[in-house]
Amino acid sequence: AQSVTQLDSQVPVFEEAPVELRCNYSSSVSVYLFWYVQYPNQGLQLLLKYLSGSTLVESINGFEAEFNKSQTSFHLRKPSVHISDTAEYFCAVSEVSGGYNKLIFGAGTRLAVHP
Amino acid sequence: DGGITQSPKYLFRKEGQNVTLSCEQNLNHDAMYWYRQDPGQGLRLIYYSQIVNDFQKGDIAEGYSVSREKKESFPLTVTSAQKNPTAFYLCASSHVLGRSYEQYFGPGTRLTVT
């Protein structure tokens, strides 16, 4: 079974500084990988996804993630964060089991951007 | 607009009562999911369904029940057998095999049982 490890439960950072949220997944032949963002008391919104092709994927609000097969990682980065990026971020990997597809989520990383 | 609706946003119940959380989607997705979210524990899968009248237990199904009588609807009942029901509950939906497995989430229901 797949598993996802988000290495940092909380990441504090100052506004306009760069940030990296780390995610590692267990090895598999092929994977689909996702980053979701959750603002307080809301559902999850898809930030970006890796399905195939280019290993670097980008979101519309400046985040990017790089799929690294040899290190089984899918770290999320942003070169300059804003106060509005304060949220919880979840990494997820797809799993197909018994004909059913599921997403396996990490425990989440709380990003706190300070002025 | 297509999306997933969950109602109500906040729900309060007394211990020992069953309570049903609503989830409706108009995305024409075949698969639907229920998750429970507790602080510091991420999302844990309760039940999922890939087709009408069929559903599977997730990782923490004890004390919960579901039904899937319509493609659009996947209500979750939190029974009195659930030892610690206070949590944030999220419903999601997706296409099935052959797609990217991306899940779309509703806004969630925060259940408080006292």
Side-chain angles (χ1 to χ4, degrees), chain B residues 18-33:
Chain B
N18 291 355
V19 59
T20 297
L21 281 60
S22 167
C23 177
E24 304 277 333
Q25 56 99 358
N26 62 1
L27 299 168
N28 199 32
H29 287 163
D30 289 301
M32 297 187 74
Y33 312 80

Side-chain angles (χ1 to χ4, degrees), chain B residues 1-3 7 12 22 26 30 42 44 52-53 56 67 87-88 93 98 100:
Chain B
D1 287 335
S7 60
F12 298 89
S22 167
N26 62 1
D30 289 301
R44 293 184 289 168
V52 173
N53 292 324
Q56 302 295 317
S67 63
F88 191 50
S93 69
S100 67

Side-chain angles (χ1 to χ4, degrees), chain A residues 46-48 57-65 76-78:
Chain A
L46 181 68
L47 193 58
L48 47 76
V57 290
E58 299 177 352
S59 72
I60 57 172
N61 57 354
F63 282 95
E64 63 179 31
L76 182 70
R77 302 185 184 96
K78 190 170 185 179

Side-chain angles (χ1 to χ4, degrees), chain A residues 26-44:
Chain A
S26 54
S27 179
S28 178
V29 176
S30 63
V31 291
Y32 297 147
L33 293 156
F34 306 85
W35 275 100
Y36 283 86
V37 60
Q38 184 182 34
Y39 299 101
N41 289 313
Q42 294 185 27
L44 275 67

Side-chain angles (χ1 to χ4, degrees), chain B residues 62-100:
Chain B
E62 184 175 352
Y64 300 97
S65 66
V66 294
S67 63
R68 187 89 186 276
E69 297 177 1
K70 298 186 301 181
K71 184 176 181 177
E72 302 79 17
S73 179
F74 192 42
L76 173 75
T77 296
V78 184
T79 75
S80 57
Q82 169 50 234
K83 296 279 189 287
N84 184 19
T86 294
F88 191 50
Y89 290 89
L90 288 161
C91 179
S93 69
S94 74
H95 291 294
V96 293
L97 286 173
R99 306 291 186 121
S100 67

Side-chain angles (χ1 to χ4, degrees), chain A residues 14-84:
Chain A
F14 287 109
E15 194 173 17
E16 298 184 5
V19 70
E20 179 180 79
L21 307 184
R22 297 179 292 168
C23 173
N24 286 93
Y25 62 94
S26 54
S27 179
S28 178
V29 176
S30 63
V31 291
Y32 297 147
L33 293 156
F34 306 85
W35 275 100
Y36 283 86
V37 60
Q38 184 182 34
Y39 299 101
N41 289 313
Q42 294 185 27
L44 275 67
Q45 302 172 32
L46 181 68
L47 193 58
L48 47 76
K49 60 186 177 184
Y50 170 77
L51 305 180
S52 64
S54 173
T55 57
L56 186 66
V57 290
E58 299 177 352
S59 72
I60 57 172
N61 57 354
F63 282 95
E64 63 179 31
E66 186 163 17
F67 169 60
N68 188 318
K69 187 174 181 179
S70 63
Q71 297 186 9
T72 61
S73 69
F74 190 55
H75 301 333
L76 182 70
R77 302 185 184 96
K78 190 170 185 179
S80 176
V81 294
H82 303 288
I83 296 287
S84 60

Side-chain angles (χ1 to χ4, degrees), chain A residues 37-40 82-89 110-114:
Chain A
V37 60
Q38 184 182 34
Y39 299 101
H82 303 288
I83 296 287
S84 60
D85 292 324
T86 294
E88 189 148 23
Y89 293 79
R110 189 170 298 276
L111 175 64
V113 181
H114 302 285

Side-chain angles (χ1 to χ4, degrees), chain A residues 32 34 36 38 41-46 49 51 88 90 94-97 99-108 110, chain B residues 9-10 33 35 37 40-43 45 48 50 54 56 88 90 94-97 99-103 105-107 110:
Chain A
Y32 297 147
F34 306 85
Y36 283 86
Q38 184 182 34
N41 289 313
Q42 294 185 27
L44 275 67
Q45 302 172 32
L46 181 68
K49 60 186 177 184
L51 305 180
E88 189 148 23
F90 292 94
S94 62
E95 176 178 89
V96 178
S97 174
Y100 293 89
N101 68 76
K102 297 186 288 183
L103 286 183
I104 309 301
F105 287 87
R110 189 170 298 276
Chain B
K9 179 74 171 172
Y10 297 94
Y33 312 80
Y35 294 91
Q37 186 176 22
Q41 296 195 47
L43 277 70
L45 184 63
Y48 57 105
Q50 196 162 287
D54 182 63
Q56 302 295 317
F88 191 50
L90 288 161
S94 74
H95 291 294
V96 293
L97 286 173
R99 306 291 186 121
S100 67
Y101 314 145
E102 172 185 338
Q103 291 184 13
F105 283 82
R110 186 167 297 281

